[in-house]
Amino acid sequence: MLIGIAIGTIGGIVLTSLLPGLRQVVRTYVTTIRGIPVLVQIVFWYNGLSALTNGAVNLPAYFAGILALGINEGAYMTEIVRAGIQSVDRGQREASQALSLSYVSMMRSVILPQAVRIAIPPTGNQVINLIKNTSLLFAIAIPEIFATGTNLFSMNFKYFEVIAVVAIWYLILAFGYGLIQRALERHFGRGRIGLFGSGAT
Amino acid sequence: MPTARSSVPHTAPSSAAIARQAEGAIVLDGVDKWYGTVHVLKSVSLSVSNGEKVVVCGPSGSGKSTLIRCINGLERHQNGRISVEGVEVVDRTLRQIRREVGMVFQSFNLFPHLTILQNCMLAPMESRKLSREEARDRSIEYLSRVHISEQADKYPAQLSGGQQQRAAIARALCMQPRIMLFDEPTSALDPEMISEVLDTMMELAASGMTMVCVTHEMGFAQKVADRVVFMDEGAIAEVGPPDQLFNSPSSERLALFLRRILSH
């Protein structure tokens, strides 16, 4: 499922800061995707698309699930990356230009590393949302954690125990990502003196 | 690679080369600029010759920053012509011109996520295609020239304002530009840090660099400038050697400006 975020992140980075023609396309994409419930999107990619094309395009459940969540993430990540880029001081762009850096060099070496720092916390929200949204994939019969759980308690009727175990699994995943996020924040926060702390952490 | 492009004018006989010789390092000819409906540069003409030091002063909002930012195309002019070493400032020559024109900003604009050394190495590696080793050697050389080589591995936020500005000067010098632009380099600094930056700029001036400085440091202008340009309301009001301008200002506007900045 993390492949989904990768697609979304790359999509977000590439699409936000480019040409005015593309911008309109991206804006439409973001508006559309954010306006449709994830569950509806999942069912669309799995059942809807195949009905629309009279069965010509029939995505396997896993592929449809990854596609749906990836495309959904991409829309939110686009906004997060845009916010990150826009938060970088104008002087950074001017200094890069005055040093004759190309647009690509400027984005890669100056703007994006600073934008990523801003984007990490909201991206963390997205990652955890995505992990939890995988539970919606039970709708297209993917045996993820929640679906496995429902299968279990429909057989043994131990609702509380099974659901508790399911919840703990989600917690473990979210906690694990929390650790990764802290390492990322340390890496991209280098050279910065905290708002209230002293010294670069 | 820049030579390939600068050889293009040879299609029009060698008169282009002669013109370049005669034209000097920077030529502004009837330059106009508007921000929306505000006319910020009004038909400004100025020529700076090779190795010359020009100080630009004037009240705030007089267009002096805009003027030097037009020289390397950070601001684009709408009328008239600007050329740098015979190359006109237009979209496709911007990167070529900026390789030869260094700039120092009021707010330093160092890259906060990179060390001082990395700040210096970036542009030579990216736009001059130097190897990492060459860029490192060159950066250390210029950092020691501005007397902060011992800070090379620190991040900008760990340095004082004066050190940051000297690092920014070193970063610009690492591109080995032929012209340096300074946009109020000491305006954001505490008084005791101003002199260390001005000293660095004087050393640079002594090395024969062509310099255009927007500054209110009249002592610096007196010592270093070949000419002082006084701007007022988007136009060049007076130009002349510092002694002449400061001691016998010919306009009431300049006399008033001088009284104000020298009174404290």
Side-chain angles (χ1 to χ4, degrees), chain A residues 63-77:
Chain A
F63 189 73
I66 289 171
L67 197 65
L69 292 180
I71 287 174
N72 181 63
E73 277 315 282
Y76 290 92
M77 286 306 301

Side-chain angles (χ1 to χ4, degrees), chain B residues 90-119:
Chain B
V90 290
D91 283 338
R92 75 182 164 75
T93 58
L94 282 181
R95 286 196 65 203
Q96 178 195 352
I97 285 169
R98 286 165 179 168
R99 272 195 285 268
E100 311 302 336
V101 181
M103 187 169 206
V104 173
F105 300 87
Q106 177 176 355
S107 49
F108 324 140
N109 293 346
L110 289 168
F111 305 133
H113 60 300
L114 300 177
T115 64
I116 298 302
L117 185 64
Q118 290 167 335
N119 262 276

Side-chain angles (χ1 to χ4, degrees), chain B residues 64-252:
Chain B
K64 50 196 192 312
S65 281
T66 308
L67 176 74
I68 74 162
R69 289 159 60 88
C70 279
I71 294 172
N72 68 350
L74 281 186
E75 307 275 0
R76 306 307 304 278
H77 58 289
Q78 282 123 0
N79 249 340
R81 187 171 175 277
I82 300 177
S83 62
V84 176
E85 298 189 311
V87 180
E88 186 170 0
V89 179
V90 290
D91 283 338
R92 75 182 164 75
T93 58
L94 282 181
R95 286 196 65 203
Q96 178 195 352
I97 285 169
R98 286 165 179 168
R99 272 195 285 268
E100 311 302 336
V101 181
M103 187 169 206
V104 173
F105 300 87
Q106 177 176 355
S107 49
F108 324 140
N109 293 346
L110 289 168
F111 305 133
H113 60 300
L114 300 177
T115 64
I116 298 302
L117 185 64
Q118 290 167 335
N119 262 276
C120 291
M121 288 167 61
L122 180 64
M125 283 165 60
E126 297 281 338
S127 16
R128 288 262 194 226
K129 304 297 172 206
L130 260 62
S131 73
R132 182 166 286 277
E133 290 69 32
E134 289 169 317
R136 180 188 304 272
D137 291 347
R138 186 187 282 188
S139 300
I140 289 169
E141 178 195 333
Y142 283 105
L143 284 171
S144 39
R145 200 176 289 185
V146 301
H147 315 295
I148 47 167
S149 51
E150 70 283 359
Q151 314 286 356
D153 293 323
K154 289 191 181 165
Y155 287 98
Q158 296 169 295
L159 269 57
S160 73
Q163 289 172 327
Q164 288 190 47
Q165 192 58 296
R166 284 185 285 148
I169 293 172
R171 177 177 71 175
L173 291 177
C174 283
M175 286 292 285
Q176 301 192 324
R178 288 197 285 270
I179 298 168
M180 283 286 283
L181 307 174
F182 292 86
D183 188 2
E184 302 204 31
T186 57
S187 299
L189 296 174
D190 291 339
E192 71 264 35
M193 290 171 185
I194 291 177
S195 62
E196 65 184 59
V197 170
L198 292 180
D199 287 346
T200 304
M201 289 168 65
M202 278 188 234
E203 287 170 31
L204 188 61
S207 75
M209 178 73 75
T210 307
M211 289 164 65
V212 181
C213 313
V214 172
T215 182
H216 294 306
E217 297 298 328
M218 291 305 141
F220 172 79
Q222 198 94 47
K223 272 182 253 174
V224 171
D226 298 308
R227 278 187 299 161
V228 173
V229 171
F230 174 66
M231 288 193 71
D232 190 33
E233 295 180 346
I236 293 180
E238 279 192 57
V239 189
D243 284 333
Q244 180 196 319
L245 241 76
F246 295 154
N247 300 329
S248 47
S250 61
S251 71
E252 185 47 38

Side-chain angles (χ1 to χ4, degrees), chain A residues 20 31 39 51 54 62 66 71 92 101 107 122 126 129 133 136 149 151 154 168 172 174 190 194-195 199:
Chain A
T31 316
L39 187 55
N54 278 325
Y62 272 102
I66 289 171
I71 287 174
Q92 297 291 308
L101 294 184
M107 287 313 268
Q126 283 311 116
N129 260 331
N133 279 344
L136 297 173
N151 285 340
S154 63
I168 287 166
I172 289 170
R190 64 194 189 279
L195 182 55

